[in-house]
Amino acid sequence: MGVEAHATNERVTGRTWTVRLDPVGRGRADVRVSCSRPACAAQVLPSAAVGRTAAVEHLKAHLRAGPAPRPSAYCACRAEECHTHIRPAGPRERPAPWRCGGAVVLAVVTDREGRWWQVMECCSRCAAAHPTARIAATAPAPDRAAPAEAFRPATAPAPMVSAVGPHFSHSATGAAAAPHEVPEPRSARPPRPTRQRARRGRIAQRFVPHELRPVTLRDELTELGEAFRAYQQRAEPDLAILADLHARKAKAFSAWAEVTADTGLRLDAERAEQAAATARLQHLHRSGQAPEGDGPAVTRLLTASAQWNHARAVLTHVADHAPLPGPEARLLVVMLTLRTAQSGVGNLVGQDLKGLPLPDPEHLVGQLVECGWLDIAGTVDELIASRPENPTRIGVPSLTPDESDPGPFTFGRKMRPKLSGWAQRVVGEKKLRKAKTTADARLLALALATGVSLDGQLGPEGEGLGPEALSSWCAIDPGDLPELVDRLTAADWLTEVAVTDTAVTGRLTERVLPLSCPLT
């Protein structure tokens, strides 16, 4: 009987399978659609669009015909040792083991380019950790009382409970004990005072110290830990609640980091802010509040609101501290700031400057060096001639942190290249290059990419952006703004545009939505 019970309660590995879309050969338009399930044969289709439609329909057919997720399954991604369950600690971070929780679901995860779709049987917490995951089905809550009833002998009498306390069937010597011979119970341990309970508060594998001040912060952290543990016991995931919890955690951990000067807490706060943005965006898409169209939700190059806010912070800093006038100098300062933002130093090659729409990059670099904003190792000519195998070291003194000034930006070492890569993708976007747009148009593209709603409407809630702020950022006269807007419209960046004295309204085209940083 014990063996049977063990076999019944044993958890099984979650199911997983993948539908892929691969090119048939180099230079050919036809594609191959394949499924990892053994009974499915590969198909060759004439184009990527037809193949993508067939792949999605094939996946939907599996989901309709397949069994529902099993409550007893543990995460398929854990069996494959994914990055969520194996979270290596950085040099200043301590390891934080992942804890699964919530109902078992069938989650569909896809890549950014739409080349594969993977179905995983996993917990709802792991599904929420994947930015592109969408829930296809949820397992019913397990009946916890059923196993105990199943293994109770049919002839066993119902246990009797004494009205005066527990009744032991045998004494310590093996003889039957009369009710009056039952020893008196030990005196109950007095309840712990409130101070001890506060000391044992725990959140995210961290204990909340009782001496933490202010007391409101200590109580908030303790309450948050209890709220997260209660959420993990929910039968159904609720991404709106999860987003609020992560947002509260980000705010509380930021305050905790300021009190204790703990870098690890600051990094945890940034991760919580990213998790809140991801959960909130997934909730909007799954509840139908954000447009999805016929395809998957928008997969952005910068995926979290913390990254979007950091991008806006860099652009605002450059606008307030630009050392030289003119759109060409402004654009160069943006790119150099992103190269050196975290430590004040970085590497640069000649191609980085030649790829920008600058009529005379040597002169601009020389001006930045002369005014003291930029330091370079060597001469300007050597910088222009440098190649990737031998880059030139550059430095921006105003961005170099020291003991008294940590610098204007709060993001870490890993965030800087993401922001720099995003700006290069926007400034060097293919149609902007083909249209030979100038520096002011590229600056306007950066400003518009960071000033849209989730669905690409200009301004918060589609209310539009102020023309004076846009022209000031682009370092142009306000009267030149309509012409720049027309250039971006011709380059398929903007649509439905209207420029008035009070607002620039419209929206980004679907083509460039992945480059946007929504206002949240």
Side-chain angles (χ1 to χ4, degrees):
M1 183 178 298
V3 174
E4 183 181 357
H6 175 75
T8 303
N9 294 330
E10 182 180 359
R11 303 198 72 180
V12 295
T13 305
R15 294 166 292 160
T16 180
W17 70 88
T18 305
V19 178
R20 294 190 57 86
L21 182 67
D22 299 301
V24 173
R26 179 175 297 179
R28 297 177 56 176
D30 48 348
V31 295
R32 178 183 293 104
V33 178
S34 59
C35 180
S36 63
R37 302 185 73 161
C40 300
Q43 305 177 59
V44 176
L45 297 169
S47 68
V50 176
R52 187 171 290 106
T53 301
V56 172
E57 291 300 323
H58 184 86
L59 184 70
K60 290 181 178 179
H62 274 312
L63 293 174
R64 286 192 297 266
R70 301 162 293 180
S72 60
Y74 73 88
C75 295
C77 54
R78 182 172 188 175
E80 297 177 0
E81 298 184 346
C82 72
H83 72 279
T84 300
H85 287 91
I86 300 179
R87 303 173 68 187
R92 293 179 293 182
E93 302 176 45
R94 63 191 188 95
W98 180 259
R99 295 183 60 189
C100 296
V104 178
V105 300
L106 279 182
V108 181
V109 182
T110 183
D111 70 334
R112 294 178 177 177
E113 289 78 16
R115 296 173 299 184
W116 54 261
W117 298 259
Q118 184 179 43
V119 179
M120 296 190 305
E121 194 174 21
C122 62
C123 72
S124 56
R125 190 162 184 247
C126 287
H130 290 273
T132 61
R134 301 181 67 181
I135 303 300
T138 303
D143 186 0
R144 302 184 183 275
E149 296 293 336
F151 296 114
R152 179 175 295 170
T155 59
M160 300 297 293
V161 180
S162 171
V164 297
H167 179 75
F168 299 98
S169 60
H170 295 281
S171 65
T173 60
H180 66 275
E181 294 176 345
V182 176
E184 290 295 330
R186 295 180 180 179
S187 59
R189 178 180 297 178
R192 292 178 178 177
T194 305
R195 179 173 300 177
Q196 290 184 350
R197 287 198 297 270
R199 185 180 296 118
R200 293 187 62 84
R202 183 169 55 86
I203 178 173
Q205 308 300 319
R206 294 176 180 267
F207 287 100
V208 183
H210 172 67
E211 61 273 11
L212 180 63
R213 293 295 183 273
V215 176
T216 54
L217 174 60
R218 183 196 67 191
D219 293 343
E220 169 69 1
L221 291 168
T222 303
E223 182 181 338
L224 264 177
E226 296 172 354
F228 270 107
R229 287 187 287 275
Y231 180 84
Q232 292 172 4
Q233 302 302 319
R234 291 176 60 92
E236 294 287 340
D238 190 324
L239 292 177
I241 295 177
L242 183 62
D244 291 340
L245 289 177
H246 280 301
R248 287 176 58 190
K249 178 183 174 183
K251 184 178 180 180
F253 270 53
S254 295
W256 196 2
E258 292 182 4
V259 171
T260 60
D262 188 337
T263 304
L265 289 171
R266 185 176 297 109
L267 295 175
D268 283 346
E270 293 180 1
R271 283 189 287 267
E273 190 174 356
Q274 295 174 10
T278 300
R280 190 175 296 112
L281 188 60
Q282 288 179 341
H283 171 69
L284 291 175
H285 283 295
R286 293 174 188 177
S287 61
Q289 300 179 44
E292 293 182 353
D294 297 331
V298 176
T299 302
R300 291 178 169 83
L301 188 62
L302 298 181
T303 57
S305 62
Q307 299 173 357
W308 306 337
N309 292 334
H310 288 317
R312 281 187 281 269
V314 172
L315 300 187
T316 301
H317 174 82
V318 172
D320 295 339
H321 299 85
L324 297 175
E328 290 82 8
R330 179 74 57 87
L331 180 62
L332 179 58
V333 169
V334 170
M335 306 311 290
L336 295 182
T337 297
L338 287 170
R339 282 297 180 94
T340 59
Q342 203 272 332
S343 61
V345 295
N347 293 324
L348 197 68
V349 298
Q351 186 59 39
D352 296 329
L353 300 175
K354 296 174 183 177
L356 298 175
L358 306 176
D360 192 356
E362 296 92 341
H363 178 67
L364 281 178
V365 172
Q367 285 185 308
L368 292 176
V369 173
E370 289 177 4
C371 72
W373 187 86
L374 178 68
D375 293 334
I376 61 175
T379 64
V380 176
D381 292 337
E382 291 173 343
L383 171 60
I384 299 298
S386 61
R387 299 180 59 84
E389 59 270 17
N390 187 25
T392 299
R393 193 73 166 171
I394 65 172
V396 178
S398 61
L399 300 180
T400 305
D402 54 34
E403 296 181 356
S404 60
D405 183 10
F409 307 119
T410 60
F411 50 81
R413 184 176 64 254
K414 295 182 180 180
M415 180 70 71
R416 189 209 59 77
K418 292 182 181 179
L419 299 177
S420 180
W422 163 80
Q424 289 177 341
R425 286 282 298 274
V426 174
V427 171
E429 196 273 325
K430 179 173 63 175
K431 289 199 174 184
L432 294 181
R433 287 188 287 106
K434 286 187 175 181
K436 297 182 179 180
T437 53
T438 53
D440 47 8
R442 312 284 178 102
L443 288 171
L444 181 58
L446 281 171
L448 298 180
T450 58
V452 296
S453 59
L454 283 172
D455 58 350
Q457 297 286 336
L458 297 186
E461 306 296 334
E463 297 175 357
L465 298 172
E468 293 185 1
L470 290 176
S471 58
S472 175
W473 159 247
C474 298
I476 61 172
D477 293 328
D480 296 334
L481 185 60
E483 181 183 355
L484 290 185
V485 171
D486 291 340
R487 293 183 199 172
L488 292 187
T489 303
D492 195 27
W493 259 76
L494 288 172
T495 184
E496 305 172 8
V497 187
V499 181
T500 66
D501 294 337
T502 58
V504 178
T505 58
R507 64 179 178 88
L508 297 183
T509 60
E510 297 289 336
R511 184 180 65 85
V512 298
L513 271 183
L515 300 176
S516 64
C517 298
L519 298 163
T520 56

